[in-house]
């Protein structure tokens, strides 16, 4: 989708040549001169328009408005949260119309930059359509959006950041939504290499022999049962000086998870194609960084493979040696995410990072704890945890900090190795994080469990693209105020996303039943 930002009063918005116009009306709407302003004022006065966030009044062929369709959308206090709700609702009503291609959104003067960013992300989210594996793909009908604000110049930094974030979110959705035969570890590696075409991004993709040479015995154990070869993807974005320590993002890339020998129930197992959404979020974040070109260094690590049952597959009770040298008793082969992540965390040590954040659809227990609203946040570092939580709030990509008391690690003790890969059912998301913490002692570390937030089930089944918004906001927040990007490359101009060529929120306990 193409996005444009323009300075316009409400009367100017009414004259724009659009297929549909959305007017966001706050609780404290201030009338101005003009027919559209009078219409809004009258609708509120008569009670036909409720200004609570998400309430709508649809009109057609309105006098004084060039666009044939007009939607007055209640936007509450004009906060980012209310703006998002209003835009999602309004766009949903217009999405079925085949001839709404150019959309305009007028945002009241009282709204801040965060609200403008929320509007951009909401338009993209509400109009997104997956097409890659359709025989007769029907793309999104809304192809361009014009955002009209009182001061476009003042809102431009937030607008540009939001547009870049949308590019990243949609890349994450694309790879999250692909079926496993269209998103193998090899194809994921190719997607990462394609990002290296963007300024300051480099990519290396390691195969089985290189991974074996590194001693990643835990990662290799998970991949043993699959005919698809594993890949270890190393992305780097170099916007800071060479001496500057990078932020490292580690994304779980299980492109399909059967559970291995500890096989999952058949019902809804198709959703285990989403088990690489952590990896997809790292790809999406790098897509946004390539467009924004911030003055910071970032490394992305993606251990990716399938978890399949086979005569060669790792068995419950097997003991493997991780890259760190620690031995692990694999009591449950369906707790494979932590086994690939632990070796990636050890690999991260070589970058002497300022911080490491891993992102994974790790446990059904986190879905039980937090549902589909907030991702689980675990960290051994208070400042890092606070920064991530603040980034989530600012981007409306929410997370919640969970405990990491040492007592939770008691269940990981075993008589046959240094550590077991699972404890009991109680506190499952915490014991999983405690397992990872053993491999993250040499740097500030945080773990995001996105099992409940990475995708939706039911009629709205599909990837959400989370937590790309949180990660982009966090990384940009680490840029020093006086920093300037390494000279020689200018930020890229936002481009419309080209289709990738290839050869309801969670109800019940679906996610939880399919993750360990």
């Amino acid at each position: 989708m193409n996005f444009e930002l323009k300075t316009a009063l409400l009367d100017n918005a009414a004259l724009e040549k659009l297929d549909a116009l959305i007017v966001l009306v706050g609780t404290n709407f201030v009338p101005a001169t003009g027919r559209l302003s009078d219409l809004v004022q009258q609708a509120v006065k008569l009670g036909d328009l409720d200004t609570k966030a998400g309430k709508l009044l649809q009109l057609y062929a309105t006098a004084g408005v060039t666009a044939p369709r007009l939607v007055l959308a209640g936007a509450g206090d004009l906060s980012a949260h209310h703006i998002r709700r209003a835009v999602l609702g309004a766009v949903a009503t217009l999405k079925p119309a085949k001839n709404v291609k150019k959309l305009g959104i007028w945002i009241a003067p009282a709204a801040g930059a965060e609200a403008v960013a929320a509007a951009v992300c909401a338009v993209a989210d509400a109009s997104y359509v997956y097409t890659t594996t359709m025989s007769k793909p029907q793309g999104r009908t809304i192809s361009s959006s014009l955002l009209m604000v009182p001061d476009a110049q003042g809102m431009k930094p937030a607008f540009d950041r939001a547009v870049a974030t949308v590019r990243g979110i949609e890349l994450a959705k694309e790879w999250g939504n692909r079926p496993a035969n269209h998103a193998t570890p090899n194809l994921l590696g190719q997607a990462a290499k394609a990002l290296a075409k963007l300024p300051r991004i480099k990519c290396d993709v390691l195969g089985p022999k290189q991974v074996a040479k590194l001693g990643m015995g835990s990662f290799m154990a998970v991949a043993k049962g699959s005919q698809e070869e594993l890949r270890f993807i190393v992305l780097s974005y170099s916007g800071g000086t060479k001496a500057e320590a990078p932020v490292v993002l580690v994304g779980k890339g299980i492109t399909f998870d059967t559970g291995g020998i500890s096989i999952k129930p058949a019902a809804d197992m198709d959703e285990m194609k989403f088990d690489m959404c952590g990896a997809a979020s790292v790809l999406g974040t790098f897509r946004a960084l390539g467009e924004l070109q911030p003055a910071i260094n970032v490394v992305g690590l993606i251990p990716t493979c399938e978890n399949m049952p086979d005569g060669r597959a790792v068995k419950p009770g097997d003991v493997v040696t991780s890259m760190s040298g620690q031995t692990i008793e694999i009591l449950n082969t369906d707790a494979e995410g932590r086994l690939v992540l632990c070796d990636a965390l050890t690999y991260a040590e070589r970058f002497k990072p300022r911080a490491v954040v891993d992102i994974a659809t790790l446990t059904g227990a986190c879905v039980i704890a937090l549902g589909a609203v907030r991702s689980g946040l675990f960290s051994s570092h208070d400042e890092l945890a606070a920064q991530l939580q603040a980034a989530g709030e600012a981007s409306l990509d929410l997370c919640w900090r969970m405990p990491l008391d040492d007592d939770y690690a008691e269940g990981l003790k075993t008589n046959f190795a240094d550590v077991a890969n699972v404890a009991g059912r109680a506190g499952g998301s915490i014991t999983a994080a405690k397992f990872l913490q053993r491999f993250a002692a040499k740097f500030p570390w945080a773990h995001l469990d996105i099992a409940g937030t990475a995708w939706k089930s039911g009629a709205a089944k599909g990837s959400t693209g989370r937590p790309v918004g949180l990660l982009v906001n966090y990384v940009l927040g680490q840029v020093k105020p006086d920093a300037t990007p390494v000279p020689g490359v200018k930020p890229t101009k936002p481009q419309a996303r080209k289709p990738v060529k290839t050869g309801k929120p969670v109800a019940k306990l679906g996610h939880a039943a399919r993750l360990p």
Side-chain angles (χ1 to χ4, degrees):
M1 178 183 291
N2 291 314
F3 291 94
E4 183 182 352
L5 185 68
K6 184 175 183 178
T7 299
L9 298 175
L10 185 53
D11 273 359
N12 302 127
L15 300 177
E16 288 286 341
K17 293 182 178 179
L18 305 163
D19 297 315
L21 171 64
I22 297 171
V23 175
L24 301 179
V25 183
T27 302
N28 297 318
F29 175 74
V30 178
T33 57
R35 297 177 70 178
L36 182 51
S37 179
D38 291 342
L39 173 65
V40 172
Q41 185 181 15
Q42 194 73 1
V44 173
K45 183 178 179 180
L46 294 175
D48 294 317
L49 174 63
D50 188 339
T51 58
K52 291 180 181 178
K55 299 294 184 179
L56 306 174
L57 176 61
Q58 299 180 62
L59 303 169
Y60 191 79
T62 307
V65 178
T66 303
R69 293 176 176 83
L70 173 65
V71 180
L72 306 182
D77 61 5
L78 297 178
S79 63
H81 177 69
H82 284 175
I83 290 287
R84 174 176 172 76
R85 183 182 297 179
V87 173
L88 285 174
V91 175
T93 66
L94 296 169
K95 190 175 179 179
K98 300 297 183 183
N99 55 351
V100 176
K101 295 182 179 180
K102 186 171 184 180
L103 174 67
I105 303 175
W106 183 81
I107 303 176
E114 298 85 358
V116 172
V120 171
C121 292
V123 170
D125 192 22
S127 61
Y128 170 83
V129 178
Y130 172 76
T131 63
T132 301
T133 51
M134 301 292 188
S135 62
K136 297 179 180 180
Q138 299 293 324
R140 67 196 333 154
T141 55
I142 301 172
S143 58
S144 65
S145 293
L146 171 64
L147 272 72
M148 293 165 281
V149 296
D151 177 18
Q153 185 174 357
M155 298 292 186
K156 194 172 187 309
F159 173 80
D160 289 343
R161 177 187 290 197
V163 171
T165 300
V166 162
R167 307 292 182 229
I169 289 171
E170 295 201 343
L171 182 65
K173 283 184 176 182
E174 165 67 27
W175 285 96
N177 283 331
R178 287 187 177 203
N181 61 331
H182 289 263
T184 62
N186 182 51
L187 289 173
L188 212 59
Q190 292 180 28
K193 286 182 177 180
L195 290 173
K197 297 177 183 178
L198 296 171
R200 298 196 179 100
I201 294 179
K202 294 181 179 180
C203 178
D204 290 316
V205 180
L206 310 184
K209 290 182 180 179
Q210 294 159 299
V211 168
K213 190 174 181 180
L214 289 168
M216 292 183 170
S218 184
F219 176 23
M220 291 189 297
V222 177
K224 283 174 61 178
S226 175
Q227 293 186 16
E228 293 287 345
E229 290 187 343
L230 62 75
R231 294 289 185 268
F232 187 69
I233 300 166
V234 182
L235 283 160
S236 62
Y237 168 79
S238 302
T241 63
K242 289 185 178 180
E244 185 179 327
V247 170
V248 177
L249 306 177
V250 182
K252 173 186 171 184
I254 303 298
T255 55
F256 194 79
D257 181 18
T258 66
I261 298 301
S262 307
I263 197 163
K264 296 175 180 291
D268 299 320
M269 195 197 286
D270 65 287
E271 294 190 5
M272 287 300 95
K273 70 177 185 176
F274 295 118
D275 213 16
M276 44 66 67
C277 283
S281 73
V282 174
L283 295 178
T285 300
F286 271 77
R287 174 66 178 85
L289 294 177
E291 193 161 294
L292 292 170
Q293 296 290 295
I296 192 171
N297 296 329
V298 186
V299 171
L301 304 178
I302 299 174
T304 177
C305 66
E306 291 182 338
N307 184 23
M308 300 288 285
D310 178 90
R312 298 170 300 171
V314 67
K315 304 174 294 298
D318 284 359
V319 174
V320 299
T321 303
S322 68
M323 186 182 179
S324 70
Q326 297 179 71
T327 58
I328 304 166
E329 183 182 20
I330 302 175
L331 295 177
N332 187 329
T333 66
D334 193 23
E336 85 298 329
R338 64 203 74 182
L339 297 175
V340 304
L341 289 173
C342 70
D343 279 345
L345 289 172
T346 300
Y347 187 89
E349 292 175 9
R350 65 185 55 201
F351 300 104
K352 297 179 173 57
R354 68 164 78 180
V356 176
V357 181
D358 74 70
I359 311 100
T361 49
L362 207 63
T363 65
C366 196
V367 186
I368 300 300
L370 297 175
V373 178
R374 292 179 182 263
S375 301
L377 166 62
F378 303 81
S379 183
S380 56
H381 194 272
D382 289 344
E383 183 180 359
L384 175 58
Q387 290 168 345
L388 287 166
Q389 188 138 6
E393 297 291 337
S395 60
L396 302 183
D397 193 346
L398 307 174
C399 61
W400 191 258
R401 192 175 186 184
M402 303 284 278
L404 272 178
D405 304 63
D406 287 340
D407 289 347
Y408 284 108
E410 288 296 311
L412 296 170
K413 291 181 177 179
T414 171
N415 295 332
F416 306 107
D418 296 330
V419 65
N421 76 324
V422 292
R425 290 190 65 188
S429 63
I430 306 171
T431 55
K434 290 300 293 183
F435 176 91
L436 293 175
Q437 188 180 16
R438 295 175 63 97
F439 303 86
K442 297 183 179 180
F443 39 71
W445 161 80
H447 159 60
L448 288 169
D449 192 330
I450 60 170
T453 57
W455 82 92
K456 296 179 180 180
S457 298
K461 182 186 291 188
S463 171
T464 63
R466 295 178 65 181
V468 171
L470 183 158
L471 294 173
V472 171
N473 195 289
Y474 162 71
V475 170
L476 295 182
Q478 302 309 299
V479 179
K480 297 176 182 178
D482 57 346
T484 54
V486 174
V489 181
K490 295 181 180 180
T492 58
K493 294 182 179 180
Q495 300 293 324
R497 184 177 71 89
K498 295 181 179 179
V500 180
K501 295 182 179 179
T502 66
K504 297 176 171 175
V506 180
K508 311 176 198 175
L509 299 177
H511 282 52
R514 295 184 292 282
L515 290 165

